[in-house]
């Protein structure tokens, strides 16, 4: 019984010591917190929202190529001949003249291009109207000083 009483008194003493140490530590922490002045409020300056990067600027050639692709698809998909003819007249306005050369690449190897028989833009647009199929895409476009298309190179899709 003495041993049990002895161990229980040691346990009590240890518990009291632990509680006292915790209390003293908590008091010191409270004193330090009470003594320290709160930091001065920092004025936060609102940062302007980051601006999105500017959209890539398209060159005149890229813009002309997009318009021509739309015209080619419109001519090929026109419901009747009068609609196709109207679209052809609009498209011809983008060219320096109706005899602007259109080259169609049929094969390329080691940078050497083989072309189909050269044609003109007027003939090519009529071809699109007759076949109702646009099987080519614009691979190169050349513009003159007036901003009109002076040469067109196409490739198979």
């Amino acid at each position: 019984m003495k041993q049990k009483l002895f161990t229980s008194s040691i346990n009590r003493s240890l518990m009291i010591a632990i509680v006292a140490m915790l209390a003293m530590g908590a008091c010191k922490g409270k004193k330090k917190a009470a003594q320290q002045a709160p930091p001065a409020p920092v004025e936060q300056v609102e940062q302007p929202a980051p601006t999105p990067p500017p959209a890539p600027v398209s060159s005149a050639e890229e813009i002309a190529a997009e318009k021509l692709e739309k015209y080619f698809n419109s001519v090929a998909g026109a419901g009747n001949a009068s609609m196709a003819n109207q679209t052809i007249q609009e498209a011809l306005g983008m060219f320096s003249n109706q005899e602007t050369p259109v080259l169609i690449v049929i094969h390329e190897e080691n940078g050497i291009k083989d072309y189909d028989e050269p044609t003109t833009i007027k003939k090519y647009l009529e071809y699109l109207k007759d076949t109702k199929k646009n099987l080519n895409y614009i691979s190169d476009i050349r513009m003159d000083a007036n901003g009109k298309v002076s040469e067109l190179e196409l490739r198979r899709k």
Side-chain angles (χ1 to χ4, degrees), residues 60-61 64 92-98 100-101 141-152:
E61 288 86 4
L92 287 174
M94 294 183 64
F95 292 87
S96 55
N97 60 51
Q98 292 185 4
T100 299
I141 188 169
R142 304 248 167 91
M143 310 284 280
D144 63 10
N146 297 325
K148 302 279 187 173
V149 178
S150 61
E151 186 178 308
L152 193 61

Side-chain angles (χ1 to χ4, degrees), residues 2-153:
K2 278 191 173 186
Q3 192 173 12
K4 191 173 186 181
L5 185 61
F6 181 69
T7 56
S8 78
S9 64
I10 292 177
N11 284 340
R12 271 192 223 141
S13 299
L14 285 175
M15 278 301 269
I16 292 173
I18 290 174
V19 170
M21 286 178 63
L22 287 174
M24 287 175 38
C27 289
K28 285 183 183 178
K30 285 182 183 176
K31 284 182 186 177
K32 285 182 184 177
Q35 289 175 354
Q36 290 179 348
V42 178
E43 208 172 295
Q44 292 184 353
V45 178
E46 288 187 28
Q47 297 290 332
T51 58
V57 179
S58 298
S59 68
E61 288 86 4
E62 290 172 339
I63 294 169
E66 288 176 15
K67 285 183 180 179
L68 285 175
E69 287 288 347
K70 288 179 185 175
Y71 280 131
F72 292 168
N73 289 329
S74 293
V75 170
N80 59 43
S82 64
M83 287 177 55
N85 289 333
Q86 181 181 357
T87 306
I88 288 171
Q89 289 306 312
E90 289 176 24
L92 287 174
M94 294 183 64
F95 292 87
S96 55
N97 60 51
Q98 292 185 4
E99 301 302 312
T100 299
V102 176
L103 305 171
I104 302 172
V105 177
I106 55 174
H107 181 70
E108 181 177 5
E109 189 173 326
N110 299 327
I112 300 170
K113 298 176 184 176
D114 290 328
Y115 297 100
D116 196 1
E117 181 180 342
T119 188
T120 64
I121 188 59
K122 177 74 172 167
K123 290 179 183 176
Y124 183 72
L125 289 169
E126 292 293 334
Y127 168 79
L128 290 176
K129 179 176 81 170
D130 294 340
T131 62
K132 299 196 178 295
K133 293 180 185 177
N134 182 16
L135 301 175
N136 300 310
Y137 68 93
I138 299 171
S139 66
D140 190 25
I141 188 169
R142 304 248 167 91
M143 310 284 280
D144 63 10
N146 297 325
K148 302 279 187 173
V149 178
S150 61
E151 186 178 308
L152 193 61
E153 183 178 275

